[in-house]
Amino acid sequence: MSTDTDTAPVADVRTSVELDILGMTCASCAARIEKKLNRLDGVSASVNYATERAHILSTGPDAAHLIRVVRDTGYDAAVPDPVAEEPDRVTPLRRDLVLAAVLTVPVIALAMVPAWQFPGWTWLSLVLATPVYAWCGRRFHRSALVNARHGATTMDTLVSLGTTAGYLYSVWALFFTHAGDWHYQHPFSLALGRGDGAAVYFEAVTGITTFLLAGRWFEARARTQASDALRAVLTLGAAEATVLRDGVEHRVGVDALAVGDVFVVRPGEKIATDGVVVDGASAVDESMVTGESLPVDKAPEDAVIGATLNANGRLLVRATRVGADTELARMARLVEDAQTRKAPVQAVVDRISGVFVPVVLAIAAITLVGWLLAGETLLFAATAAVAVLIIACPCALGLATPTALLVGTGRGAKLGILIGGPDVLERARRIDAVVLDKTGTLTRGDLSLAAVHAAPGVTEREVLRLAGAAESPSEHPIARAVVAAARAAQHTTPLAAPTLFANVPGEGVRASVDGEIVTVVRPDVVDLGPLADAVAAAEVFGQTVVVVTRDGTPIGALALADTLKPTSAEAVARFRELGLTPVLLTGDNERAARAVADEVGIERVVAGVRPEGKVRVVSDLQASGLKVAMVGDGVNDAAALAAADLGVALGTGTDAAKEAAGITLMRGDLLLAVDAIRLSRATLRTITTNLFWAFAYNVAALPLAAFGWLTPMIAGAAMAFSSVFVVGNSLLLRRFRGLGSRP
């Protein structure tokens, strides 16, 4: 007998690794690091220049190995420390920029205004330009040298080569031509001049360095501002909590809280973690998490979110989620992930940036040789080549997409719109139809009992008692309404505790109550018998009906009424304005669904649909050529949310729905879904504008520089302005306003 045992192959486990990347100065740096990482077996890496972070999926190399690879590439890397403060990249840049600007202004002024060119002005220019070139521009030279040692080129290579060539030539001209004469003068021109070689370009060296430092400073400041949303989310939480143990209050750190702990929240205090109110009543300000400006009243059994502010009453809260499982932590992960990952369009840009520097070096060499062959002086040819090096830096190209994504996702978080990633923005732009769940999405979902219809020989009180007991473990809106009505009818008598509870998706619930099998299900899954007329009459009025059975026999029907959310009709109208076709999709009966649809203005209704049927409806719409967004909040919506081109989950809904969706709305307001589509489109428009500017700028500027129509200083100013334009255009997204009363 063989002792060998057959073993199934073990699938590779992909580990997600996040690394902070240090030392990047341009988009080509990011492209180079990404290329090196992706050469490793089992590694899929994405390096984002704007966020200075790498997102890596690895089936082999661990974080330590990945960090070594980054360091071998000429940069540094570290595992992000959530506790460590964000390094200050703005202050050092501002300090160097101020020094460079102070020294550069007189150098440029003397070069531009011949009347101010006093005797010896060129030598003073040398004195002023040297610290600008050597000290203020050190980051460009250091980066160029580091990359040169690794056989690579980046944008800083272009800057360093250009300023070094201009500085060394100017020094040579001072010592070996009459540019060093005490009474030397020369006129200023936007284009390159043709002369005897007696010229200095200190104004170009200092101007380029100062303009580039200004661009870097604007970039660093924009990144800091764009990341405010994430930092704000991370710092919202409370530091301590007052835990109630054996009737005694203990002050502990939030990290010490455990699920099930009961803690006290006094007026003016932040709620320490997600939980359920067990005693007390108060208004809670949830604006910092949901964006809702008005406080929300809380009473026993109401859920509360960690980091929200208790306004006026004393609350006792039982912790339901702590640490990384809380809503606040989930928000932070979503925002950080959205800002770290790249949009699909960025992949094309990165490929262009990765080859752009070598191509520019080749164009600069061709420019130099071409002008020499045309009979121009070495000075003219070299200066034209320097202008090509400077103006072609691909900063704007590298910043066009990530800065817009940073600002757009950050603004979304501020409004209460959590965007799962940049790919979600692109999908949201292409949506043609929006499928809306009814209960909890268009309607409040807080159903109330309208009527109880009992079968012959059964009392209404008995029907309600059994239904309430069977539904008590469920979180469905229908269950909550039934349980609330049953408890009110029982007065002080508690409901029986059910056993063998089961939630049957698309049908209802089943449980054992006092030894009897009780179900609370939709009318179309049971034989109604004598209850048929009562069910039909309730459905005519658009009421939701569930049937109660005992040991398989229908004993009663419960009619429940729901009310529309106040903004649902406006939201549907807004969807139409955006060119979207609204579709109502619900498990409720046709009459109830049609009554709601008529009230909000939806023409297309698909009713009586089970969870698997919702997926089929979404698939049918997609098969007809439509890009479909699905908006829902329940467990039975999760599959359809995942199947849709864009899933939008209401934050008031279940965790399953949130996990399946690409966008989570922190409020149950459907207008927020409209805002999500609007923000997605605005962000994509900004990206398109940025990319157009970046491409158009390089296409137009390179020939101007190569043909000698721009001096290196003007080229440097134009290049820096292109980056500033892209960053500034992205920051305009911070002015995006949501519909209604939004912050």
Side-chain angles (χ1 to χ4, degrees), residues 61-82:
D62 59 8
H65 183 74
L66 296 169
I67 289 173
R68 284 197 299 272
V69 171
V70 174
R71 287 173 177 167
D72 291 342
T73 311
Y75 304 87
D76 200 2
V79 176
D81 183 356

Side-chain angles (χ1 to χ4, degrees), residues 396-423:
L397 201 60
L399 289 168
T401 300
T403 52
L405 290 174
L406 277 170
V407 181
T409 53
R411 181 59 183 152
K414 182 71 174 176
L415 291 170
I417 302 168
L418 299 184
I419 299 169
D423 54 315

